[in-house]
Amino acid sequence: MSDCKVIALANQKGGVGKTTTAVNLGVSLARQGKKVLLVDADAQANLTMSLGFSRPDDLPVTLSAVMRDILEDRPVDVTKSILHHSEGVDLIPSNIELSGLEVRLIHAISRESVLKTCVGEIRKNYDYCFIDCMPSLGMLTINALAAADRVIIPAQPHYLSAKGLELLLSSVSKVRRQINPALRIDGILMTMVMPRTNISKEITATVRRVYGQKIKVFETQIPHSIRAVEATVEGKSLFAYDKGGKVAAAYKELGKEVSELGEKPRIQDRTDRLR
């Protein structure tokens, strides 16, 4: 499993479905037989709570503890922080301590690469690692982009969400130039789509027109549904909470799209070697 894909789910706009996508895309790929790690890189710990760990501040080892050990050059055992979920995904959890650690990162040596060091310790054990980023472009998000191979950008078909894409794309470009030249964007994922409304149709069409020539816009769209909120409260994926629902079906299709993206570079590499 040395070909692990580390994928950051990023958008500085909050409430666009990053955490829901991390959970359900991760479980979708686990259901395909992939080994999946989820990393909660947000001090609000929404990903941690969405997987049923409702008291993150009581967890003995979280991402902040691991990153602190790296900052202080102490021996690091990332496996001690990993929690195993019944739906087949692993989790490095977060809690409020991560907000204090972000302040420390500002003045740290190699401050952009702490999370990359953490992920590097265990990526060999997984096929996919998804990093759920906080809704800002602070040091933790920069760390996530530095650690990632690829980025998926969840975006709602709303004016402000679409407007924020340009800023995020600029930040990704800057990280690619200055920190992580291998970083690339896998695509923009439209979430919480209400296909019958004109605004959803218009903004989705605009995103495809403005960005679709250079950046993939996933064919799969994630529909709006109250079931997604209910599943989060229950600490389950939509596959466990509402298996026959439209959102679970959409994440199943997204899992196939993402898996196919992972296979294309391998096929190209084999073709290049044959030449």
Side-chain angles (χ1 to χ4, degrees):
M1 282 183 271
S2 59
D3 291 332
C4 176
K5 293 93 181 168
V6 180
I7 302 175
L9 297 164
N11 192 327
Q12 79 277 8
K13 176 76 171 62
V16 297
K18 292 188 295 294
T19 299
T20 299
T21 297
V23 171
N24 292 285
L25 178 54
V27 172
S28 176
L29 288 162
R31 288 162 61 90
Q32 293 182 35
K34 305 298 185 183
K35 184 72 172 171
V36 178
L37 175 69
L38 306 178
V39 178
D40 191 345
D42 186 349
Q44 296 182 73
N46 289 333
L47 176 59
T48 300
M49 291 186 287
S50 294
L51 287 170
F53 302 98
S54 59
R55 297 175 63 88
D57 292 341
D58 293 342
L59 293 171
V61 185
T62 61
L63 180 62
S64 60
V66 174
M67 293 181 70
R68 187 169 60 248
D69 285 344
I70 293 168
L71 277 174
E72 295 175 0
D73 201 25
R74 293 201 294 252
V76 177
D77 185 356
V78 181
T79 60
K80 288 183 178 180
S81 69
I82 295 174
L83 302 174
H84 306 287
H85 192 267
S86 60
E87 294 184 62
V89 296
D90 287 351
L91 168 71
I92 297 180
S94 172
N95 60 20
I96 194 62
E97 292 177 5
L98 199 59
S99 60
L101 184 124
E102 183 171 34
V103 175
R104 288 191 60 184
L105 284 173
I106 295 171
H107 304 291
I109 297 173
S110 302
R111 58 186 182 177
E112 300 94 351
S113 61
V114 179
L115 184 56
K116 181 176 182 178
T117 300
C118 171
V119 171
E121 292 287 318
I122 50 169
R123 66 180 292 169
K124 64 182 182 296
N125 300 326
Y126 295 93
D127 297 302
Y128 287 91
C129 171
F130 292 100
I131 305 173
D132 185 27
C133 297
M134 63 196 309
S136 75
L137 295 174
M139 280 306 306
L140 284 169
T141 299
I142 298 299
N143 262 256
L145 295 176
D149 310 308
R150 297 144 61 172
V151 184
I152 291 176
I153 307 170
Q156 277 182 281
H158 292 173
Y159 174 75
L160 290 176
S161 178
K163 190 76 174 173
L165 278 173
E166 197 65 41
L167 181 59
L168 179 62
L169 294 174
S170 173
S171 297
V172 170
S173 179
K174 188 178 295 183
V175 169
R176 186 188 292 124
R177 287 196 310 271
Q178 299 179 6
I179 302 170
N180 183 4
L183 184 65
R184 73 172 191 270
I185 297 172
D186 264 359
I188 298 167
L189 172 67
M190 303 308 297
T191 62
M192 291 179 265
V193 175
M194 293 183 281
R196 295 183 181 180
T197 63
N198 288 334
I199 190 68
S200 278
K201 293 176 184 176
E202 289 170 6
I203 292 182
T204 299
T206 299
V207 168
R208 291 189 184 278
R209 184 180 70 252
V210 173
Y211 300 107
Q213 296 298 316
K214 295 181 179 179
I215 301 170
K216 176 182 175 67
V217 180
F218 285 100
E219 291 299 321
T220 303
Q221 296 182 2
I222 308 302
H224 182 273
S225 173
I226 191 64
R227 295 290 192 184
V229 178
E230 294 171 351
T232 297
V233 173
E234 293 295 321
K236 300 176 181 178
S237 79
L238 283 151
F239 296 96
Y241 184 76
D242 187 30
K243 184 177 180 180
K246 59 184 180 180
V247 187
Y251 276 114
K252 181 179 179 181
E253 290 305 308
L254 179 64
K256 292 178 182 176
E257 273 199 79
V258 171
S259 183
E260 287 169 3
L261 281 174
E263 291 300 321
K264 285 178 181 178
R266 292 188 199 174
I267 293 169
Q268 186 62 49
D269 286 346
R270 292 193 200 107
T271 303
D272 290 343
R273 284 197 296 269
L274 287 171
R275 287 175 183 167

